[in-house]
mmCIF file of all heavy atoms in Angstrom:
data_model
loop_
_atom_site.group_PDB
_atom_site.id
_atom_site.type_symbol
_atom_site.label_atom_id
_atom_site.label_comp_id
_atom_site.label_asym_id
_atom_site.label_seq_id
_atom_site.Cartn_x
_atom_site.Cartn_y
_atom_site.Cartn_z
ATOM 1 N N GLU A 1 6.752 -27.788 22.842
ATOM 2 C CA GLU A 1 7.517 -26.918 23.686
ATOM 3 C C GLU A 1 8.420 -27.800 24.607
ATOM 4 O O GLU A 1 7.888 -28.529 25.435
ATOM 5 C CB GLU A 1 6.549 -26.090 24.566
ATOM 6 C CG GLU A 1 7.249 -25.152 25.604
ATOM 7 C CD GLU A 1 8.254 -24.229 25.018
ATOM 8 O OE1 GLU A 1 7.896 -23.410 24.196
ATOM 9 O OE2 GLU A 1 9.457 -24.345 25.400
ATOM 10 N N GLU A 2 9.722 -27.784 24.360
ATOM 11 C CA GLU A 2 10.637 -28.628 25.103
ATOM 12 C C GLU A 2 10.905 -28.158 26.504
ATOM 13 O O GLU A 2 11.252 -28.962 27.369
ATOM 14 C CB GLU A 2 11.957 -28.772 24.308
ATOM 15 C CG GLU A 2 11.821 -29.355 22.920
ATOM 16 C CD GLU A 2 13.130 -29.492 22.198
ATOM 17 O OE1 GLU A 2 14.103 -29.037 22.767
ATOM 18 O OE2 GLU A 2 13.160 -30.049 21.084
ATOM 19 N N ASP A 3 10.828 -26.888 26.727
ATOM 20 C CA ASP A 3 11.260 -26.340 27.992
ATOM 21 C C ASP A 3 10.125 -25.599 28.711
ATOM 22 O O ASP A 3 10.172 -24.360 28.948
ATOM 23 C CB ASP A 3 12.431 -25.344 27.774
ATOM 24 C CG ASP A 3 13.036 -24.845 29.025
ATOM 25 O OD1 ASP A 3 12.937 -25.572 30.044
ATOM 26 O OD2 ASP A 3 13.606 -23.726 29.046
ATOM 27 N N SER A 4 9.027 -26.343 28.980
ATOM 28 C CA SER A 4 7.920 -25.660 29.694
ATOM 29 C C SER A 4 7.976 -26.015 31.180
ATOM 30 O O SER A 4 8.596 -27.062 31.521
ATOM 31 C CB SER A 4 6.597 -26.109 29.132
ATOM 32 O OG SER A 4 6.447 -27.533 29.238
ATOM 33 N N GLY A 5 7.396 -25.192 31.998
ATOM 34 C CA GLY A 5 7.413 -25.433 33.454
ATOM 35 C C GLY A 5 6.172 -26.302 33.865
ATOM 36 O O GLY A 5 5.135 -26.247 33.175
ATOM 37 N N ASP A 6 6.329 -27.056 34.929
ATOM 38 C CA ASP A 6 5.232 -27.944 35.330
ATOM 39 C C ASP A 6 4.021 -27.152 35.850
ATOM 40 O O ASP A 6 4.079 -25.940 36.281
ATOM 41 C CB ASP A 6 5.744 -28.887 36.462
ATOM 42 C CG ASP A 6 6.503 -30.000 35.898
ATOM 43 O OD1 ASP A 6 6.280 -30.385 34.756
ATOM 44 O OD2 ASP A 6 7.361 -30.552 36.652
ATOM 45 N N GLU A 7 2.892 -27.864 35.908
ATOM 46 C CA GLU A 7 1.628 -27.246 36.274
ATOM 47 C C GLU A 7 1.479 -27.159 37.742
ATOM 48 O O GLU A 7 2.062 -27.913 38.525
ATOM 49 C CB GLU A 7 0.485 -28.055 35.670
ATOM 50 C CG GLU A 7 0.449 -28.096 34.143
ATOM 51 C CD GLU A 7 -0.703 -28.842 33.581
ATOM 52 O OE1 GLU A 7 -1.309 -29.630 34.295
ATOM 53 O OE2 GLU A 7 -1.095 -28.546 32.413
ATOM 54 N N GLN A 8 0.597 -26.156 38.155
ATOM 55 C CA GLN A 8 0.316 -25.984 39.568
ATOM 56 C C GLN A 8 -0.634 -27.039 40.150
ATOM 57 O O GLN A 8 -0.519 -27.470 41.229
ATOM 58 C CB GLN A 8 -0.313 -24.589 39.818
ATOM 59 C CG GLN A 8 -0.442 -24.241 41.330
ATOM 60 C CD GLN A 8 -0.991 -22.853 41.508
ATOM 61 O OE1 GLN A 8 -1.679 -22.307 40.637
ATOM 62 N NE2 GLN A 8 -0.753 -22.282 42.636
ATOM 63 N N PHE A 9 -1.594 -27.398 39.297
ATOM 64 C CA PHE A 9 -2.598 -28.398 39.712
ATOM 65 C C PHE A 9 -3.178 -28.984 38.431
ATOM 66 O O PHE A 9 -3.064 -28.429 37.357
ATOM 67 C CB PHE A 9 -3.649 -27.878 40.619
ATOM 68 C CG PHE A 9 -4.386 -26.678 40.048
ATOM 69 C CD1 PHE A 9 -5.449 -26.826 39.221
ATOM 70 C CD2 PHE A 9 -3.988 -25.372 40.308
ATOM 71 C CE1 PHE A 9 -6.146 -25.717 38.689
ATOM 72 C CE2 PHE A 9 -4.640 -24.298 39.745
ATOM 73 C CZ PHE A 9 -5.702 -24.475 38.916
ATOM 74 N N GLU A 10 -3.957 -30.074 38.568
ATOM 75 C CA GLU A 10 -4.608 -30.652 37.421
ATOM 76 C C GLU A 10 -5.954 -29.959 37.185
ATOM 77 O O GLU A 10 -6.682 -29.637 38.147
ATOM 78 C CB GLU A 10 -4.865 -32.119 37.707
ATOM 79 C CG GLU A 10 -3.606 -32.987 37.790
ATOM 80 C CD GLU A 10 -3.937 -34.453 38.044
ATOM 81 O OE1 GLU A 10 -5.165 -34.828 37.971
ATOM 82 O OE2 GLU A 10 -3.018 -35.226 38.329
ATOM 83 N N ILE A 11 -6.288 -29.753 35.928
ATOM 84 C CA ILE A 11 -7.544 -29.163 35.585
ATOM 85 C C ILE A 11 -8.527 -30.279 35.228
ATOM 86 O O ILE A 11 -8.099 -31.412 34.920
ATOM 87 C CB ILE A 11 -7.442 -28.112 34.429
ATOM 88 C CG1 ILE A 11 -7.029 -28.822 33.089
ATOM 89 C CG2 ILE A 11 -6.535 -26.950 34.765
ATOM 90 C CD1 ILE A 11 -7.074 -27.882 31.940
ATOM 91 N N ALA A 12 -9.818 -29.940 35.269
ATOM 92 C CA ALA A 12 -10.873 -30.941 34.956
ATOM 93 C C ALA A 12 -11.606 -30.684 33.703
ATOM 94 O O ALA A 12 -12.184 -31.521 33.094
ATOM 95 C CB ALA A 12 -11.806 -31.074 36.153
ATOM 96 N N ASP A 13 -11.555 -29.395 33.223
ATOM 97 C CA ASP A 13 -12.290 -29.017 32.062
ATOM 98 C C ASP A 13 -11.280 -28.351 31.117
ATOM 99 O O ASP A 13 -10.887 -27.221 31.339
ATOM 100 C CB ASP A 13 -13.434 -28.007 32.416
ATOM 101 C CG ASP A 13 -14.316 -27.675 31.217
ATOM 102 O OD1 ASP A 13 -13.980 -28.055 30.107
ATOM 103 O OD2 ASP A 13 -15.269 -26.889 31.420
ATOM 104 N N GLY A 14 -10.912 -29.035 30.056
ATOM 105 C CA GLY A 14 -9.887 -28.583 29.157
ATOM 106 C C GLY A 14 -10.404 -27.939 27.844
ATOM 107 O O GLY A 14 -9.670 -27.894 26.899
ATOM 108 N N ARG A 15 -11.660 -27.505 27.846
ATOM 109 C CA ARG A 15 -12.241 -26.922 26.644
ATOM 110 C C ARG A 15 -11.473 -25.739 26.116
ATOM 111 O O ARG A 15 -11.050 -24.895 26.911
ATOM 112 C CB ARG A 15 -13.711 -26.610 26.851
ATOM 113 C CG ARG A 15 -14.672 -27.772 26.737
ATOM 114 C CD ARG A 15 -16.068 -27.277 26.968
ATOM 115 N NE ARG A 15 -16.320 -27.090 28.381
ATOM 116 C CZ ARG A 15 -17.488 -26.642 28.939
ATOM 117 N NH1 ARG A 15 -18.475 -26.412 28.087
ATOM 118 N NH2 ARG A 15 -17.598 -26.449 30.215
ATOM 119 N N SER A 16 -11.356 -25.627 24.790
ATOM 120 C CA SER A 16 -10.767 -24.460 24.142
ATOM 121 C C SER A 16 -11.720 -23.271 24.290
ATOM 122 O O SER A 16 -12.918 -23.451 24.614
ATOM 123 C CB SER A 16 -10.517 -24.719 22.721
ATOM 124 O OG SER A 16 -11.721 -24.904 21.998
ATOM 125 N N PHE A 17 -11.169 -22.086 23.967
ATOM 126 C CA PHE A 17 -12.033 -20.879 23.964
ATOM 127 C C PHE A 17 -13.182 -21.027 22.957
ATOM 128 O O PHE A 17 -14.354 -20.798 23.275
ATOM 129 C CB PHE A 17 -11.221 -19.685 23.584
ATOM 130 C CG PHE A 17 -12.044 -18.511 23.133
ATOM 131 C CD1 PHE A 17 -12.847 -17.817 24.029
ATOM 132 C CD2 PHE A 17 -12.033 -18.093 21.782
ATOM 133 C CE1 PHE A 17 -13.659 -16.746 23.646
ATOM 134 C CE2 PHE A 17 -12.808 -17.049 21.374
ATOM 135 C CZ PHE A 17 -13.623 -16.349 22.259
ATOM 136 N N THR A 18 -12.907 -21.563 21.760
ATOM 137 C CA THR A 18 -13.966 -21.671 20.772
ATOM 138 C C THR A 18 -15.055 -22.678 21.217
ATOM 139 O O THR A 18 -16.268 -22.397 21.081
ATOM 140 C CB THR A 18 -13.338 -22.233 19.388
ATOM 141 O OG1 THR A 18 -12.337 -21.281 18.962
ATOM 142 C CG2 THR A 18 -14.393 -22.351 18.353
ATOM 143 N N GLN A 19 -14.688 -23.792 21.778
ATOM 144 C CA GLN A 19 -15.656 -24.730 22.229
ATOM 145 C C GLN A 19 -16.472 -24.213 23.385
ATOM 146 O O GLN A 19 -17.663 -24.346 23.453
ATOM 147 C CB GLN A 19 -14.987 -26.062 22.712
ATOM 148 C CG GLN A 19 -15.945 -27.224 22.976
ATOM 149 C CD GLN A 19 -16.782 -27.566 21.813
ATOM 150 O OE1 GLN A 19 -16.311 -27.812 20.669
ATOM 151 N NE2 GLN A 19 -18.089 -27.513 21.961
ATOM 152 N N MET A 20 -15.790 -23.522 24.336
ATOM 153 C CA MET A 20 -16.512 -22.869 25.452
ATOM 154 C C MET A 20 -17.500 -21.886 24.935
ATOM 155 O O MET A 20 -18.661 -21.830 25.430
ATOM 156 C CB MET A 20 -15.558 -22.226 26.416
ATOM 157 C CG MET A 20 -16.178 -21.615 27.645
ATOM 158 S SD MET A 20 -16.942 -22.801 28.763
ATOM 159 C CE MET A 20 -15.467 -23.420 29.556
ATOM 160 N N TYR A 21 -17.116 -21.058 24.040
ATOM 161 C CA TYR A 21 -18.005 -20.004 23.429
ATOM 162 C C TYR A 21 -19.269 -20.697 22.848
ATOM 163 O O TYR A 21 -20.386 -20.250 23.059
ATOM 164 C CB TYR A 21 -17.243 -19.201 22.359
ATOM 165 C CG TYR A 21 -17.893 -17.956 21.951
ATOM 166 C CD1 TYR A 21 -17.452 -16.731 22.512
ATOM 167 C CD2 TYR A 21 -18.987 -17.861 21.072
ATOM 168 C CE1 TYR A 21 -18.048 -15.477 22.124
ATOM 169 C CE2 TYR A 21 -19.564 -16.675 20.682
ATOM 170 C CZ TYR A 21 -19.082 -15.488 21.252
ATOM 171 O OH TYR A 21 -19.693 -14.290 20.868
ATOM 172 N N ARG A 22 -19.037 -21.758 22.051
ATOM 173 C CA ARG A 22 -20.148 -22.400 21.411
ATOM 174 C C ARG A 22 -21.033 -23.105 22.478
ATOM 175 O O ARG A 22 -22.295 -23.090 22.315
ATOM 176 C CB ARG A 22 -19.630 -23.470 20.427
ATOM 177 C CG ARG A 22 -19.000 -22.878 19.175
ATOM 178 C CD ARG A 22 -18.312 -23.953 18.393
ATOM 179 N NE ARG A 22 -17.682 -23.458 17.136
ATOM 180 C CZ ARG A 22 -16.823 -24.157 16.426
ATOM 181 N NH1 ARG A 22 -16.522 -25.375 16.779
ATOM 182 N NH2 ARG A 22 -16.358 -23.598 15.313
ATOM 183 N N ASP A 23 -20.475 -23.648 23.458
ATOM 184 C CA ASP A 23 -21.285 -24.400 24.442
ATOM 185 C C ASP A 23 -22.130 -23.342 25.206
ATOM 186 O O ASP A 23 -23.274 -23.672 25.567
ATOM 187 C CB ASP A 23 -20.363 -25.166 25.424
ATOM 188 C CG ASP A 23 -19.783 -26.395 24.773
ATOM 189 O OD1 ASP A 23 -20.188 -26.703 23.614
ATOM 190 O OD2 ASP A 23 -18.889 -27.019 25.405
ATOM 191 N N ILE A 24 -21.569 -22.188 25.539
ATOM 192 C CA ILE A 24 -22.351 -21.185 26.233
ATOM 193 C C ILE A 24 -23.536 -20.713 25.408
ATOM 194 O O ILE A 24 -24.672 -20.595 25.881
ATOM 195 C CB ILE A 24 -21.477 -20.011 26.622
ATOM 196 C CG1 ILE A 24 -20.461 -20.411 27.804
ATOM 197 C CG2 ILE A 24 -22.284 -18.790 27.156
ATOM 198 C CD1 ILE A 24 -19.414 -19.397 28.043
ATOM 199 N N GLU A 25 -23.247 -20.474 24.108
ATOM 200 C CA GLU A 25 -24.343 -20.066 23.229
ATOM 201 C C GLU A 25 -25.375 -21.157 23.077
ATOM 202 O O GLU A 25 -26.619 -20.804 23.010
ATOM 203 C CB GLU A 25 -23.744 -19.783 21.812
ATOM 204 C CG GLU A 25 -23.066 -18.409 21.652
ATOM 205 C CD GLU A 25 -22.713 -18.113 20.232
ATOM 206 O OE1 GLU A 25 -22.277 -19.005 19.493
ATOM 207 O OE2 GLU A 25 -22.926 -16.953 19.782
ATOM 208 N N SER A 26 -24.997 -22.358 23.034
ATOM 209 C CA SER A 26 -25.961 -23.485 22.864
ATOM 210 C C SER A 26 -26.910 -23.640 24.065
ATOM 211 O O SER A 26 -27.982 -24.164 23.939
ATOM 212 C CB SER A 26 -25.196 -24.838 22.683
ATOM 213 O OG SER A 26 -24.639 -25.240 23.882
ATOM 214 N N GLU A 27 -26.530 -23.043 25.214
ATOM 215 C CA GLU A 27 -27.367 -23.026 26.401
ATOM 216 C C GLU A 27 -28.312 -21.796 26.439
ATOM 217 O O GLU A 27 -29.025 -21.573 27.366
ATOM 218 C CB GLU A 27 -26.521 -23.079 27.631
ATOM 219 C CG GLU A 27 -25.655 -24.274 27.839
ATOM 220 C CD GLU A 27 -26.464 -25.539 28.131
ATOM 221 O OE1 GLU A 27 -27.668 -25.419 28.450
ATOM 222 O OE2 GLU A 27 -25.889 -26.642 28.100
ATOM 223 N N GLY A 28 -28.307 -21.024 25.383
ATOM 224 C CA GLY A 28 -29.131 -19.783 25.331
ATOM 225 C C GLY A 28 -28.590 -18.633 26.118
ATOM 226 O O GLY A 28 -29.220 -17.684 26.378
ATOM 227 N N LEU A 29 -27.298 -18.723 26.398
ATOM 228 C CA LEU A 29 -26.575 -17.658 27.137
ATOM 229 C C LEU A 29 -25.748 -16.868 26.200
ATOM 230 O O LEU A 29 -25.457 -17.271 25.060
ATOM 231 C CB LEU A 29 -25.721 -18.240 28.292
ATOM 232 C CG LEU A 29 -26.443 -19.110 29.332
ATOM 233 C CD1 LEU A 29 -25.468 -19.786 30.214
ATOM 234 C CD2 LEU A 29 -27.384 -18.226 30.131
ATOM 235 N N GLN A 30 -25.309 -15.687 26.629
ATOM 236 C CA GLN A 30 -24.532 -14.786 25.794
ATOM 237 C C GLN A 30 -23.074 -14.670 26.258
ATOM 238 O O GLN A 30 -22.798 -14.149 27.364
ATOM 239 C CB GLN A 30 -25.156 -13.357 25.830
ATOM 240 C CG GLN A 30 -24.350 -12.347 25.060
ATOM 241 C CD GLN A 30 -24.164 -12.653 23.611
ATOM 242 O OE1 GLN A 30 -25.110 -12.861 22.883
ATOM 243 N NE2 GLN A 30 -22.912 -12.777 23.156
ATOM 244 N N PRO A 31 -22.120 -15.257 25.561
ATOM 245 C CA PRO A 31 -20.722 -15.156 25.985
ATOM 246 C C PRO A 31 -20.261 -13.701 25.811
ATOM 247 O O PRO A 31 -20.586 -13.021 24.814
ATOM 248 C CB PRO A 31 -20.005 -16.048 24.973
ATOM 249 C CG PRO A 31 -21.076 -16.865 24.252
ATOM 250 C CD PRO A 31 -22.291 -16.009 24.310
ATOM 251 N N VAL A 32 -19.554 -13.182 26.824
ATOM 252 C CA VAL A 32 -19.024 -11.776 26.764
ATOM 253 C C VAL A 32 -17.550 -11.857 26.893
ATOM 254 O O VAL A 32 -17.014 -12.496 27.807
ATOM 255 C CB VAL A 32 -19.664 -10.936 27.876
ATOM 256 C CG1 VAL A 32 -19.079 -9.572 27.922
ATOM 257 C CG2 VAL A 32 -21.155 -10.840 27.687
ATOM 258 N N LEU A 33 -16.801 -11.114 26.075
ATOM 259 C CA LEU A 33 -15.387 -11.115 26.082
ATOM 260 C C LEU A 33 -14.811 -9.920 26.789
ATOM 261 O O LEU A 33 -13.765 -9.905 27.409
ATOM 262 C CB LEU A 33 -14.802 -11.212 24.663
ATOM 263 C CG LEU A 33 -15.252 -12.378 23.833
ATOM 264 C CD1 LEU A 33 -14.591 -12.360 22.460
ATOM 265 C CD2 LEU A 33 -14.999 -13.715 24.578
ATOM 266 N N ASN A 34 -15.608 -8.795 26.768
ATOM 267 C CA ASN A 34 -15.205 -7.567 27.376
ATOM 268 C C ASN A 34 -16.361 -6.585 27.387
ATOM 269 O O ASN A 34 -17.091 -6.567 26.394
ATOM 270 C CB ASN A 34 -13.972 -6.937 26.647
ATOM 271 C CG ASN A 34 -13.549 -5.656 27.324
ATOM 272 O OD1 ASN A 34 -13.217 -5.582 28.458
ATOM 273 N ND2 ASN A 34 -13.658 -4.519 26.531
ATOM 274 N N ASP A 35 -16.610 -5.849 28.419
ATOM 275 C CA ASP A 35 -17.681 -4.865 28.441
ATOM 276 C C ASP A 35 -17.211 -3.493 28.852
ATOM 277 O O ASP A 35 -17.959 -2.694 29.326
ATOM 278 C CB ASP A 35 -18.808 -5.337 29.366
ATOM 279 C CG ASP A 35 -18.396 -5.506 30.816
ATOM 280 O OD1 ASP A 35 -17.210 -5.258 31.105
ATOM 281 O OD2 ASP A 35 -19.288 -5.808 31.633
ATOM 282 N N TYR A 36 -15.910 -3.211 28.585
ATOM 283 C CA TYR A 36 -15.409 -1.920 28.927
ATOM 284 C C TYR A 36 -15.168 -1.092 27.615
ATOM 285 O O TYR A 36 -14.712 -1.670 26.618
ATOM 286 C CB TYR A 36 -14.091 -1.978 29.691
ATOM 287 C CG TYR A 36 -14.329 -2.372 31.126
ATOM 288 C CD1 TYR A 36 -14.292 -3.665 31.548
ATOM 289 C CD2 TYR A 36 -14.655 -1.365 32.130
ATOM 290 C CE1 TYR A 36 -14.492 -4.055 32.857
ATOM 291 C CE2 TYR A 36 -14.821 -1.768 33.414
ATOM 292 C CZ TYR A 36 -14.793 -3.052 33.785
ATOM 293 O OH TYR A 36 -15.058 -3.397 35.105
#
């Protein structure tokens, strides 16, 4: 993307959705995307 705007601040955890979902499951927790 040649014409993107700069960031507001630096992030510390850059995990993708897929990786986050797997990591939450691996801890024995239930990832929830929507409950409505």
Side-chain angles (χ1 to χ4, degrees):
E1 174 58 59
E2 297 180 358
D3 186 28
S4 61
D6 281 334
E7 298 184 336
Q8 186 179 26
F9 56 85
E10 295 179 10
I11 64 172
D13 185 356
R15 277 178 288 178
S16 68
F17 163 69
T18 301
Q19 188 60 54
M20 181 68 75
Y21 195 100
R22 289 172 180 167
D23 288 351
I24 290 171
E25 280 191 319
S26 72
E27 298 289 349
L29 301 170
Q30 176 60 55
V32 175
L33 306 182
N34 178 61
D35 63 356
Y36 285 92

